[in-house]
Amino acid sequence: MKALELTAALVAGVFFALCTGMDAVLLMDYANQEVEVEVVIILLVLSFLFMLGAMTMINYTNRAFDGEHKKANRLKPGRWAMNTLFASMIMILIALASYGTVFSSSPLRAAPRAHGPLVLFLALAAVSFYILNYHRLLPRRRQIHRAEKRYSLNGRRFTFLCEEISDDGFWKGKLSGEIHTGDKVLFLDTGGRTNEARVARIYAGGRKTGKASDSEIYLKLKSKTPAEEIPFSVVSGQRPVGTTTPAVAAENPRITGMLSGLSDHYDDSDFMSCFVYDFVHGHYLVPAKVGEKESVSSDITEAIRGSHDVMFLSVSSSREPDKTVLPIFTDWGTLSRYENVIEDEKSVVLLMSFQQAVEIMHKGYDGMVINPFNPASFYLSENYVHSITALEGYRREFVENQEN
């Protein structure tokens, strides 16, 4: 079906672009008094109807290709429609540039030479505008995929929780995602230090392998500067980041790595101390909605600009279904599982520190949850958050420093 949709859209797009080029030539002929006005009106009306049908076909096949043809706002132009309009603009510029050559008897035959720089400038401006804004035409999952790859070292997402090390230098631990021999990685220890390395060897299922995914494995790293052998360090294929430039992005590989081992080490005080330190120092993606009359970018990864009234979302806790919980996410991959956010065109995503998320939680929520739609999530009740923020170390770093 996808091949059929692509073919139908391509045929309709070529027809649309040719119509625009012919319309440009027709109008220039009329300007040179070579065509009667009645003929021009009839041909332009017919052309408009044909072009409208072609654009409807293009838009429908685009939404069908993306699996969005049954959703609301079906008339909103997609990226294929915008591609066609862009190609049509270029077709018009080509028609303008070549008109004097093709129709040598035209009084406008000198126009291409006289206005050549202007035509070139318009073409470059159209290309630049198209390239700079194309990301806004992509389906939201494609936008999120682009955001995820921006801080990936190998084009794949993975974290490996280092649980114990053998005498021959192999780490045993839990892998989430897919890792390959030779991958560039970051070794993130519990003290916040980062060391660059490469994957030297992988053992999974009792044998050496070139790649592994979502399992317990043995991993040996190779680096110029040997990292300290600290249990509960995390090996990651993503760089830690929290930024709104050039787009909203958060990567918390230590938190996601620790979450993968939470069920096995929940009763381990050393593990939980490391985990608490990690999540209070994290930066999170927090989804919200703007009002129906407010306008925001169609690229969900773009930071919202200016002043907007936003309403933060809530989810239910499986442990306490009657509680209203604020969802926060460690990265775009985990947030993409929140279908309501992906499908709602009024959704926006903000970058927040843990401390900012706590402030939002106190405005009507009973707690918050990290990565609620992932197999490995973490629920923080209001009482638990209070116990963390009341710690002397937390207050010294995040409360007293701000007051001073």
Side-chain angles (χ1 to χ4, degrees):
M1 283 297 293
K2 288 189 179 295
L4 181 62
E5 289 155 0
L6 280 169
T7 303
L10 181 61
V11 171
V14 170
F15 179 77
F16 186 96
L18 288 174
C19 283
T20 56
M22 292 173 62
D23 288 345
V25 172
L26 179 64
L27 290 172
M28 285 186 284
D29 280 341
Y30 173 70
N32 291 325
Q33 299 180 347
E34 296 178 7
V35 183
E36 296 294 332
V37 64
E38 294 83 1
V39 175
V40 172
I41 293 174
I42 292 171
L43 292 177
L44 285 179
V45 169
L46 289 174
S47 176
F48 174 78
L49 293 174
F50 285 131
M51 290 166 65
L52 182 62
M55 187 57 72
T56 302
M57 171 67 75
I58 292 166
N59 209 41
Y60 177 79
T61 52
N62 185 185
R63 297 182 73 82
F65 186 87
D66 293 336
E68 298 178 349
H69 57 295
K70 295 182 180 179
K71 296 179 182 177
N73 201 4
R74 299 177 189 179
L75 296 178
K76 180 182 177 182
R79 66 186 185 283
W80 290 1
M82 292 302 178
N83 288 348
T84 303
L85 290 174
F86 172 73
S88 300
M89 290 170 58
I90 299 301
M91 183 67 72
I92 292 171
L93 291 172
I94 291 172
L96 287 170
S98 61
Y99 184 80
T101 303
V102 175
F103 301 95
S104 57
S105 63
S106 169
L108 299 179
R109 63 178 179 271
R113 289 190 295 274
H115 302 292
L118 177 60
V119 172
L120 179 61
F121 172 78
L122 290 174
L124 291 175
V127 171
S128 300
F129 180 81
Y130 174 78
I131 291 173
L132 291 173
N133 290 277
Y134 181 72
H135 62 96
R136 295 189 176 97
L137 308 175
L138 296 171
R140 282 192 162 178
R141 294 197 181 279
R142 288 272 299 276
Q143 293 168 353
I144 289 173
H145 183 64
R146 281 161 54 99
E148 284 186 289
K149 292 185 68 174
R150 187 172 285 125
Y151 301 100
S152 173
L153 299 176
N154 309 281
R156 283 172 281 103
R157 301 183 61 81
F158 58 83
T159 55
F160 173 77
L161 177 62
C162 304
E163 296 175 320
E164 57 184 82
I165 190 167
S166 64
D167 294 336
D168 53 358
F170 276 89
W171 280 104
K172 176 188 175 184
K174 197 166 209 176
L175 171 68
S176 298
E178 183 177 307
I179 194 170
H180 293 192
T181 302
D183 277 349
K184 290 177 63 177
V185 297
L186 296 179
F187 186 87
L188 310 167
D189 70 23
T190 55
R193 293 174 293 270
T194 301
N195 191 38
E196 295 185 357
R198 284 194 179 271
V199 176
R201 277 181 281 177
I202 304 170
Y203 278 84
R207 62 185 182 86
K208 184 179 178 181
T209 181
K211 62 181 180 180
S213 60
D214 298 315
S215 58
E216 286 198 353
I217 63 170
Y218 288 86
L219 190 68
K220 191 165 190 177
L221 303 177
K222 176 175 61 178
S223 65
K224 294 180 180 179
T225 307
E228 292 189 51
E229 298 173 355
I230 304 175
F232 306 131
S233 295
V234 170
V235 174
S236 169
Q238 296 80 242
R239 294 187 180 280
V241 69
T243 184
T244 57
T245 306
V248 176
E251 290 288 354
N252 296 275
R254 271 208 56 83
I255 300 175
T256 53
M258 295 291 278
L259 279 171
S260 69
L262 183 63
S263 59
D264 296 329
H265 300 284
Y266 188 80
D267 295 326
D268 186 324
S269 59
D270 291 336
F271 177 92
M272 290 306 297
S273 294
C274 292
F275 182 48
V276 169
Y277 179 88
D278 289 332
F279 72 66
V280 300
H281 287 86
H283 286 82
Y284 301 90
L285 300 177
V286 183
K289 282 182 64 174
V290 298
E292 289 298 325
K293 295 183 179 180
E294 296 203 47
S295 177
V296 292
S297 171
S298 54
D299 185 348
I300 195 172
T301 68
E302 277 193 36
I304 59 174
R305 308 296 181 190
S307 177
H308 293 273
D309 290 326
V310 299
M311 178 183 70
F312 291 96
L313 307 182
S314 65
V315 295
S316 298
S317 167
S318 57
R319 294 185 181 181
E320 300 178 86
D322 58 326
K323 301 292 186 182
T324 302
V325 182
L326 176 71
I328 61 177
F329 299 85
T330 55
D331 52 75
W332 279 109
T334 55
L335 187 142
S336 67
R337 296 170 182 258
Y338 196 173
E339 294 290 343
N340 291 348
V341 171
I342 303 302
E343 294 178 2
D344 193 335
E345 294 178 355
K346 293 298 182 180
S347 295
V348 293
V349 176
L350 292 82
L351 180 74
M352 290 189 178
S353 65
F354 178 78
Q355 292 68 43
Q356 290 171 317
V358 169
E359 290 180 16
I360 300 300
M361 184 202 73
H362 286 318
K363 296 177 180 179
Y365 293 89
D366 301 307
M368 55 185 171
V369 58
I370 302 174
N371 298 346
F373 303 104
N374 265 38
S377 61
F378 186 60
Y379 169 60
L380 297 85
S381 67
E382 191 172 18
N383 288 337
Y384 186 77
V385 171
H386 178 73
S387 69
I388 297 296
T389 57
L391 292 172
E392 181 182 349
Y394 183 96
R395 294 191 59 79
R396 185 167 55 247
E397 181 174 356
F398 299 111
V399 180
E400 295 173 8
N401 280 350
Q402 288 184 358
E403 291 175 350
N404 295 333

